[in-house]
Amino acid sequence: MTPPGTPPLPTALGRVVPAPASVLPGDGAYTLTSETAIRVGATGEARTVGDYLAGVLRPSTGLPLPLTSEDGEDGIRLRLDPAESALGDEGYRLESADGALTLTAREPAGLFHAVQTLRQLLPPAVERDTAQPGPWTVPGGVVTDTPRFAYRGAMVDVARHFFTVGQLKRYIDQLALYKINKLHLHLTDDQGWRLAIDSWPELTVAGAATAVGGGSGGHYTKAQYTEIVEYAASRHLEVIPEIDFPGHTAAALAAYPELNPDGVTVEVHTGTEVGFSSLTVGKEITYDFVDDVLREVAEITPGRYLHIGGDEADATSAEDYAVFMKRAQAVVAKYGKTVVAWHQLAGAEPAPGAVAQYWGWDGTSAEERAGVAGLAAQGVRLILSPADRTYLDHKYTAEDELGLKWAGLVEVDHSYDWDPATYLEGVPQDAVLGVEAAIWTETVETTEQLEYMAFPRLLSTAERGWSAGGEWSEFRHRLAAQAPRWEALGIAYYKSPTVPWGEAGSGA
Ligand code: NGO
C-alpha cells in the first residue's frame, strides 16, 4: 500500500535523471526492430551523435541499426534544426510513438542529451555489452527539455591520488549519462603536480613522484591531457583545468627550490593537512612560473576557463594574497581565458568576468557568506559546490571507512536537500552559473571507491543543475530506478537506506 502523502511513481516516460522540464505521456510506444534504421540527415554532427547512439544500442540489442542519411517517417530520427530556437544550446525534444522515435535539437549537445534520455527510457539491460533478450520499447509521448543552469560540473582531484586517462574516460561516460557538461580537473596540490609543463620539467619529476600516503604518483603528458580533453568533448563536456595557487603548492615548491622564500627546497607532502604551503609573493620568479604554467595550460585547453584555485592560502598573508591573485588573474586574461577561483577570491579584487566557486557548508560563517554575496553584487558569477551537499568525498554515514567529514555526513537525501537559487542569501538565481560535485581523493584511490562515493549522490547535483524544483519523496524513486542500469554498467554504488531500491516500478 502506498502511504498517504506519497506522490505517485513518475510515469515510465518521466523516469529519467535529471528530471526533464516537460513530460507528456502519449499513446502507443516505440519498439526497436531488426528493420530499425538511425536516420541522421545530411549533417556530419547528427551522424556523430548517431554513431554514438548505435555504439550504445548495438551490443545489447544485437540489432544492426544502420545509419542512413535518407529522410523517412519511421525509425530513430535525429534532427538538428536551427529554427528550434526555444531548445537553446542544450535542449531537445524526444517524441516516441508507434513506428518512429524522433529526437530534435538545435545544437549537437542537445541531440547528445536526448540520446541520454533515450538510454534511460530503454530497459537497463541496454547498457550491457553482450546481446540481451529485449523487447526494446520506449513509452509513447513527448519529452521537451532544457537545462536550468549552463554549468553542471564534476571535479576530480587527481593530485592527492592519481587517476589514469582510462579511469577518467570511464567517469566521463558516467557523467554524460546524467547531462553533466563540465569536467574540472584539480591537477596540482601539495601531494602532486599532475600535468607536464615543458618550461618547468621538474614539476612532473620530483613533483609527481608520490601521493597521499606516500604511494606511487603519476602525471599526464600533454598528449594524454589532450586525449582527456578530446574524449570529454566527444561527450559534450568542457574540461576546466585547475592549477591551485598560491597555497596547495608543496609539490611545486619541492620541485623548484627557487620558488621558496629562502631558496631551500621542501619535501612533497604525503599527509592530508592543508594550508601550510605558499608561493613566494614577493619574488619575481613566482610570476615567471605562473605565466609559463598558465600559458602552457591555456595552449592545450580549448575550453574558456582556467581555474587558479586560491583556496586555503593560510600560509599567505591577506595582503600578499590580494597581490598574488590580482597578478595571476591578469595572466589568465592575457592568455585569453576566463578566471575561475574558489570563493576565497572574495579576499582579492575579482577580474572582470571572473567566476567564483563556493565550497562552504551549513557551518560557514555569516561573514564568509557575506563576502560571497559581495562577489555576486560585483557581478561575479558563482558555481555552487556546498561541501555538505555536493562533496562526493564525504562520508555518507559515520560507519563509512572511506571519506572525510569536516562538513558533516552527506547522506543521499541530504545531498538533494538544497536549491541553488536560494541557497546563499544575496546570491540570486541569475548570479548562479551552475553547480559542481567534487570528488577529493585524500581517501579515494580506486575506480571502485570513486564510484561508490559518487553514486548515487552525483545524481543529486546533476538534477539540481539541470531541473527546476524537485522533491526528495519523488526523486528517490527515480534514483532507485537507476540502480539496475549501474549494475549493467558495472558501476559500484552505495545502497543507501534512504532510497527504495528494487521497488516495483523501478524498472529493475
Ligand atoms: C576543501 C579543500 C581541499 C580538500 C577538500 C576535502 C577545497 C576547495 N579545498 O575543499 O583541499 O581536499 O576540502 O573535502
Side-chain angles (χ1 to χ4, degrees):
M1 251 202 52
T2 311
T6 304
L9 287 175
T11 67
L13 190 66
R15 212 172 287 146
V16 173
V17 178
S22 153
V23 175
L24 287 176
D27 294 336
Y30 180 73
T31 301
L32 301 180
T33 72
S34 56
E35 304 300 312
T36 301
I38 302 180
R39 299 187 184 279
V40 294
T43 73
E45 286 168 323
R47 179 167 286 266
T48 303
V49 180
D51 274 330
Y52 169 87
L53 173 62
V56 174
L57 299 182
R58 282 179 192 145
S60 52
T61 64
L63 299 172
L65 303 171
L67 262 59
T68 170
S69 50
E70 271 171 44
D71 275 349
E73 296 304 311
D74 62 340
I76 302 180
R77 305 159 72 220
L78 269 51
R79 296 180 52 243
L80 274 175
D81 183 351
E84 293 277 359
S85 50
L87 297 177
D89 292 340
E90 294 192 282
Y92 66 89
R93 189 167 57 247
L94 177 152
E95 294 158 279
S96 170
D98 293 335
L101 183 104
T102 308
L103 308 182
T104 305
R106 199 191 73 180
E107 301 292 336
L111 216 42
F112 184 79
H113 295 322
V115 163
Q116 306 310 326
T117 296
L118 168 57
R119 279 171 77 177
Q120 292 188 30
L121 293 175
L122 284 163
V126 78
E127 307 296 347
R128 297 200 183 267
D129 53 14
T130 53
Q132 305 293 315
W136 307 104
T137 299
V138 180
V142 181
V143 175
T144 311
D145 203 7
T146 52
R148 184 182 191 189
F149 294 107
Y151 188 113
R152 304 178 306 280
M155 190 212 80
V156 185
D157 169 9
V158 295
R160 270 54 177 272
H161 281 105
F162 183 65
F163 286 78
T164 64
V165 174
Q167 287 177 299
L168 287 185
K169 285 183 176 175
R170 181 178 161 92
Y171 195 46
I172 288 167
D173 281 335
Q174 296 166 0
L175 298 172
L177 179 55
Y178 299 106
K179 304 189 176 81
I180 298 283
N181 67 354
K182 310 287 172 198
L183 175 67
H184 166 184
L185 293 176
H186 183 76
L187 290 165
T188 68
D189 214 302
D190 293 319
Q191 298 85 351
W193 186 287
R194 308 298 181 201
L195 177 65
I197 301 294
D198 297 334
S199 52
W200 296 75
E202 277 298 316
L203 289 171
T204 46
V205 182
T210 187
V212 164
S216 63
H219 75 275
Y220 309 116
T221 63
K222 285 189 169 173
Q224 286 173 323
Y225 175 81
T226 297
E227 190 181 341
I228 297 164
V229 167
E230 286 176 354
Y231 192 82
S234 77
R235 269 67 178 149
H236 293 274
L237 280 90
E238 175 179 356
V239 170
I240 291 105
E242 179 187 353
I243 307 292
D244 201 348
F245 298 136
H248 290 277
T249 42
L253 296 169
Y256 286 98
E258 54 270 44
L259 294 175
N260 293 285
D262 48 10
V264 176
T265 194
V266 298
E267 293 288 299
V268 183
H269 190 59
T270 56
T272 58
E273 316 79 65
V274 295
F276 59 88
S277 57
S278 179
L279 293 175
T280 313
V281 173
K283 271 181 149 182
E284 269 319 292
I285 191 173
T286 294
Y287 304 97
D288 296 340
F289 171 71
V290 169
D291 194 287
D292 287 338
V293 167
L294 293 180
R295 183 187 66 251
E296 291 196 32
V297 177
E299 275 166 7
I300 54 174
T301 301
R304 73 204 94 165
Y305 301 110
L306 290 190
H307 199 310
I308 55 169
D311 58 323
E312 296 174 317
D314 303 344
T316 319
S317 72
E319 197 184 16
D320 276 359
Y321 182 81
V323 168
F324 177 86
M325 291 304 276
K326 188 169 178 140
R327 289 188 70 172
Q329 291 181 90
V331 177
V332 173
K334 175 174 158 194
Y335 295 118
K337 301 292 183 187
T338 298
V339 168
V340 186
W342 298 106
H343 74 256
Q344 281 70 24
L345 184 63
E349 189 188 322
V355 173
Q357 183 165 11
Y358 179 73
W359 60 282
W361 61 295
D362 281 350
T364 295
S365 71
E367 191 191 347
E368 192 168 338
R369 286 163 185 263
V372 177
L375 286 173
Q378 293 173 70
V380 172
R381 301 197 70 202
L382 293 170
I383 298 164
L384 300 183
S385 300
D388 53 359
R389 307 299 201 285
T390 70
Y391 267 26
L392 304 177
D393 66 317
H394 269 49
K395 291 178 188 293
Y396 293 99
T397 71
E399 286 71 49
D400 272 318
E401 277 175 33
L402 292 178
L404 306 182
K405 55 176 183 185
W406 64 260
L409 301 170
V410 186
E411 242 303 357
V412 186
D413 53 352
H414 193 55
S415 71
Y416 191 71
D417 183 21
W418 67 296
D419 176 2
T422 56
Y423 183 73
L424 280 177
E425 210 183 313
V427 179
Q429 175 159 333
D430 60 7
V432 177
L433 184 62
V435 301
E436 187 168 287
I439 186 138
W440 301 94
T441 58
E442 286 94 334
T443 68
V444 177
E445 288 185 57
T446 66
T447 284
E448 195 183 341
Q449 290 171 345
L450 182 139
E451 290 171 3
Y452 176 85
M453 298 305 270
F455 291 86
R457 290 183 284 201
L458 168 69
L459 281 70
S460 299
T461 305
E463 175 141 317
R464 288 308 182 206
W466 182 279
S467 318
E471 295 294 329
W472 168 253
S473 56
E474 185 273 335
F475 178 63
R476 60 201 284 272
H477 296 289
R478 278 184 291 115
L479 268 188
Q482 293 298 312
R485 200 162 298 275
W486 300 333
E487 281 155 20
L489 286 163
I491 298 176
Y493 66 98
Y494 162 58
K495 292 196 178 58
S496 168
T498 67
V499 178
W501 309 110
E503 66 181 355
S506 72

